[in-house]
């Protein structure tokens, strides 16, 4: 054998698996179709959010969390309802034990730290037993995505220096090698060297071939979000409506899903391929890195959300509450876009942008820059989108704003009087400390949490109050992101055949395995669970390979 363990994919899950395998005395080779500049994969671009249960950060913010409450939220969101959800259910329980147990201490011991204010993402907005986080659980890593990767990059680089691990970049796997039903390695194409910057589209020109044999192969190749054809092919029409004609990409082009079909050819079972996690608050990046590059708004609860015809969405289709519920409501209108209407007072406090590159204060661990978020103006990256982004309209009055919105789309769908009537009705609701408007009630509920009141939720005010202006409209695009289904695995991360038997020698972790089991999130995610799912499943795979 050329190595004991062959890891396919040098993203977060692959690095964790490789680090854990090397620590157990195994010789590891890591291959990736991208160049060395992309080490760490998609996780590099993330905000670094991690899902912890009953953490010290939560307790300091007076948040009372528990394994029982997290279980209620997870299963209310997952809504497991299929026979093939057997292993995803077990993975969900194991992950909850990890998140409520050793996860934080294990990562802390490796040098990871977190921003002290815990974020409240994906709030649900329906019943206590339904979808959503009942309490804030989104812990932003100090240093964002690069800081999540740092401990594992350090560990694999140390192993590389000792000759226990080797990288083969620009190696694209085309086939898993099998012998007597067992996976014994991989072969494929060596791609030409390409000095493009991290995340940019690289060449697929082949200049050679390779073959690597191994006792165990761990697939950690990521999801399908960069392959819009594959997204549409797997789109859950019965749940979310017809596939979008137009989407922006929240992930680089190399997140292409190739290894799913390749693993299936080696008898691996793919389940829940119709379960996916895409966002409705996507912006076209004015300074794109990869093709069709989209950025997600991480909104506070105050922006008014309208469909393409100017009709306000009803709860729980509110900013930050129910991602797929809102996506379904948008698709039911027959359009692929929607609108936020808000004020400067809202945008400066409530708008954050997803991604390490959009948060230089957190990524650079720059406290002075971070404190500017408490100032009178929007954060620099948000202001740049307001000034340069094609999806933003800023005007001093509503008539001019609506006229510019119609001009932006060229469709003249919006009627200023209709929109004004809805905004004025909402504005009347903020005159009292109580309201029948679900969103106004939600805003006040959010401000009951210290973290939101300090940093994420504007004081309730009339949208048409000139003192809060100018008015801002944001066209929101559908943005591809995560794959919730994937290769079915048991609790040792062994890939299973359709019969339920393990494929000898084949393991999977990360997004290609639905973050564990073939879909431990079920139908919905609670946010902060994607990086953690890569870490947890990668750790399991690295410890199990060749056991």
């Amino acid at each position: 054998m050329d190595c004991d363990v062959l890891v396919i994919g040098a993203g977060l899950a692959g690095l964790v698996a490789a680090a854990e395998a090397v620590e157990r005395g195994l010789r590891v080779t890591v291959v990736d179709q991208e160049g060395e500049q992309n080490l760490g994969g998609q996780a590099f671009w993330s905000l670094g959010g991690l899902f912890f249960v009953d953490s010290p950060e939560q307790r300091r913010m007076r948040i009372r969390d528990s394994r029982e409450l997290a279980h209620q939220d997870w299963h209310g969101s997952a809504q497991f309802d299929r026979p093939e959800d057997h292993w995803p259910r077990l993975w969900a329980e194991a992950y909850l034990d990890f998140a409520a147990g050793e996860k934080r201490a294990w990562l802390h011991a490796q040098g990871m730290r977190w921003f002290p204010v815990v974020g409240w993402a994906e709030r649900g907005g329906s019943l206590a037993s339904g979808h959503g986080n009942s309490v804030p659980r989104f812990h932003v890593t100090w240093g964002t995505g690069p800081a999540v990767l740092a401990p594992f990059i350090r560990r694999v680089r140390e192993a590389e220096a000792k000759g226990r691990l080797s990288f083969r970049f620009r190696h694209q796997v085309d086939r898993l090698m099998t012998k007597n039903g067992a996976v014994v390695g991989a072969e494929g194409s060596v791609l030409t060297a390409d000095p493009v910057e991290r995340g940019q589209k690289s060449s697929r020109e082949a200049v050679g071939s390779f073959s690597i044999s191994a006792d165990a192969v761990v697939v950690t190749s990521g999801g399908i979000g960069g392959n819009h054809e594959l997204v549409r092919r797997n789109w859950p029409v019965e749940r979310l409506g017809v596939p979008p004609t137009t989407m922006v990409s929240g992930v680089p082009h190399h997140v292409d899903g190739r290894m799913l079909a390749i693993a299936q050819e080696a008898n691996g079972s793919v389940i829940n391929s119709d379960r996916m996690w895409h966002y409705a608050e996507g912006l076209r990046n004015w300074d794109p890195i990869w093709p069709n590059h989209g950025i997600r708004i991480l909104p506070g609860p105050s922006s008014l959300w309208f469909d393409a015809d100017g009709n306000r969405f009803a709860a729980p289709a509110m900013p930050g509450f129910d991602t797929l519920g809102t996506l379904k409501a948008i698709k039911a209108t027959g359009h692929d876009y929607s609108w936020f209407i808000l004020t400067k007072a809202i945008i400066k406090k409530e708008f954050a942008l997803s991604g390490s590159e959009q948060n230089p204060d957190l990524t650079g661990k720059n406290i002075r820059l971070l404190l500017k978020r408490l100032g009178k103006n929007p954060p620099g990256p948000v202001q740049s989108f307001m000034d340069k982004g094609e999806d933003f309209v800023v005007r001093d009055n509503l008539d001019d704003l609506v006229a510019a919105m119609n001009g932006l789309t060229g469709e003249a769908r919006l009627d200023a009087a209709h929109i004004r009537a809805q905004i004025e009705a909402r504005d009347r609701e903020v005159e009292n400390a109580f309201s029948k408007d679900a969103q106004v009630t939600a805003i006040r509920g959010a401000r009951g949490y210290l973290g939101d009141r300090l940093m994420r939720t504007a004081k309730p005010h009339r949208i048409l109050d000139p003192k809060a202006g100018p008015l801002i409209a944001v066209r929101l695009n559908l943005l591809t992101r995560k794959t919730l289904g994937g290769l079915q695995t048991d609790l040792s991360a062994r890939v299973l055949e359709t019969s339920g038997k393990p494929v000898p020698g084949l393991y999977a972790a990360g997004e290609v395995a639905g973050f564990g089991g073939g879909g431990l999130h079920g139908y919905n995610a609670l946010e902060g669970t994607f990086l953690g799912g890569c870490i947890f499943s990668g750790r399991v795979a690295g410890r199990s390979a060749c056991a």
Side-chain angles (χ1 to χ4, degrees):
M1 294 291 174
D2 295 316
C3 58
D4 297 316
V5 179
L6 173 63
V7 177
I8 301 174
L12 176 59
L15 295 176
V16 176
E20 292 293 309
V22 165
E23 196 170 274
R24 280 148 184 77
L26 301 175
R27 295 173 301 119
V28 177
T29 297
V30 181
V31 298
D32 197 288
Q33 65 184 0
E34 297 304 305
E36 189 168 2
Q37 66 272 37
N38 275 288
L39 183 64
Q42 189 179 334
F44 176 87
W45 303 104
S46 75
L47 189 58
L50 291 172
F51 177 97
F52 297 138
V53 178
D54 192 26
S55 70
E57 289 80 12
Q58 286 176 302
R59 293 193 292 271
R60 281 194 291 268
M61 296 300 295
R62 303 176 184 175
I63 300 164
R64 296 180 181 178
D65 201 5
S66 67
R67 170 67 166 74
E68 293 74 22
L69 184 59
H71 179 276
Q72 173 180 298
D73 290 346
W74 193 286
H75 284 269
S77 299
Q79 301 168 21
F80 294 122
D81 62 356
R82 296 172 175 174
E84 57 265 37
D85 284 333
H86 170 74
W87 288 110
R89 283 178 184 270
L90 294 179
W91 270 91
E93 293 298 328
Y95 181 71
L96 285 169
D97 289 340
F98 182 57
E102 66 174 307
K103 178 182 178 182
R104 185 188 179 282
W106 184 65
L107 295 175
H108 188 278
Q110 297 183 70
M112 219 176 284
R113 299 294 184 268
W114 298 276
F115 188 62
V117 179
V118 184
W120 195 356
E122 201 63 19
R123 306 178 190 208
S126 186
L127 300 178
S129 58
H131 170 58
N133 284 295
S134 298
V135 298
R137 295 192 178 104
F138 192 82
H139 297 68
V140 175
T141 303
W142 188 232
T144 66
V148 174
L149 289 166
F152 305 105
I153 291 177
R154 181 182 67 247
R155 290 172 63 186
V156 297
R157 287 301 195 189
E158 289 172 353
E160 183 183 30
K162 295 176 182 177
R164 301 297 302 173
L165 180 147
S166 63
F167 284 103
R168 306 272 185 94
F169 296 104
R170 301 297 286 162
H171 280 53
Q172 177 181 273
V173 172
D174 297 323
R175 188 176 73 88
L176 294 176
M177 297 156 49
T178 59
K179 183 177 180 180
N180 298 326
V183 172
V184 295
E187 58 187 11
S189 305
V190 179
L191 305 179
T192 186
D194 194 335
V196 296
E197 296 295 322
R198 177 190 284 271
Q200 292 182 343
K201 186 174 182 178
S202 61
S203 170
R204 288 294 177 265
E205 179 187 355
V207 295
S209 60
F210 73 91
S211 175
I212 301 173
S213 59
D215 286 326
V217 174
V218 183
V219 179
T220 58
S221 54
I224 68 173
N227 185 340
H228 288 196
E229 179 184 352
L230 197 53
V231 169
R232 292 189 183 97
R233 191 185 311 159
N234 289 290
W235 190 267
V237 175
E238 74 285 355
R239 295 199 313 277
L240 297 181
V242 298
T245 302
T246 304
M247 298 179 283
V248 293
S249 290
V251 295
H253 80 290
H254 58 256
V255 185
D256 56 16
R258 291 183 73 254
M259 283 304 303
L260 288 166
I262 292 171
Q264 282 182 299
E265 292 174 0
N267 291 328
S269 172
V270 173
I271 62 173
N272 299 320
S273 58
D274 62 323
R275 294 179 182 171
M276 50 187 70
W277 191 252
H278 306 307
Y279 293 107
E281 315 102 321
L283 304 174
R284 294 187 181 278
N285 195 345
W286 64 271
D287 186 20
I289 297 171
W290 53 80
N292 198 23
H293 187 173
I295 296 292
R296 187 205 171 195
I297 300 169
L298 301 173
S302 301
S303 299
L304 298 190
W305 206 330
F306 293 88
D307 68 20
D309 291 314
N311 301 303
R312 189 179 168 201
F313 287 110
M318 302 181 293
F321 279 78
D322 187 340
T323 291
L324 293 190
T326 305
L327 195 156
K328 179 180 180 179
I330 291 169
K331 287 305 302 173
T333 69
H335 302 284
D336 293 340
Y337 71 93
S338 58
W339 294 97
F340 276 171
I341 294 181
L342 61 156
T343 64
K344 181 182 178 181
I346 293 172
I347 202 170
K348 73 181 182 68
K349 192 162 187 176
E350 296 197 6
F351 263 42
L353 300 174
S354 181
S356 56
E357 82 284 11
Q358 299 295 334
N359 295 274
D361 48 359
L362 294 168
T363 302
K365 304 180 181 180
N366 188 325
I367 295 177
R368 289 184 62 186
L369 187 58
L370 179 67
L371 291 175
K372 290 186 177 181
R373 293 191 183 223
L374 302 177
K376 296 181 179 180
N377 295 308
V382 175
Q383 186 65 57
S384 293
F385 269 90
M386 289 176 64
D387 296 339
K388 304 172 186 178
E390 65 178 86
D391 295 309
F392 279 78
V393 175
V394 182
R395 294 292 187 273
D396 289 327
N397 64 77
L398 186 61
D399 288 339
D400 288 348
L401 185 81
V402 174
M405 293 164 71
N406 281 326
L408 182 61
T409 63
E411 296 180 346
R413 292 185 170 276
L414 303 174
D415 178 74
H418 179 55
I419 292 177
R420 180 182 297 277
Q422 295 172 86
I423 296 177
E424 287 178 343
R426 177 267 183 201
D427 282 357
R428 293 186 192 102
E429 297 286 311
V430 302
E431 298 297 326
N432 295 287
F434 32 84
S435 172
K436 70 176 182 181
D437 188 292
Q439 186 173 4
V440 174
T441 300
I443 292 167
R444 293 196 172 110
R447 285 178 62 82
Y449 166 50
L450 179 61
D452 272 3
R453 188 165 69 252
L454 289 174
M455 300 192 67
R456 289 290 285 151
T457 306
K459 184 178 180 180
H461 61 274
R462 292 185 296 111
I463 299 293
L464 296 182
D465 184 353
K467 295 178 182 178
L471 290 170
I472 302 163
V474 187
R475 179 177 58 185
L476 305 172
N477 307 276
L478 302 185
L479 178 142
T480 63
R481 186 62 67 84
K482 299 295 182 184
T483 311
L484 298 188
L487 290 168
Q488 187 178 29
T489 60
D490 65 12
L491 286 180
S492 296
R494 298 181 298 179
V495 175
L496 304 178
E497 299 178 1
T498 54
S499 66
K501 295 171 52 181
V503 179
L506 185 60
Y507 299 76
E511 193 172 350
V512 74
F515 304 93
L520 61 76
H521 295 96
Y523 288 98
N524 294 282
L526 290 176
E527 296 291 6
T529 57
F530 300 124
L531 295 176
C534 288
I535 291 169
F536 180 58
S537 60
R539 190 175 87 148
V540 171
R543 293 180 177 186
S544 299
C546 298

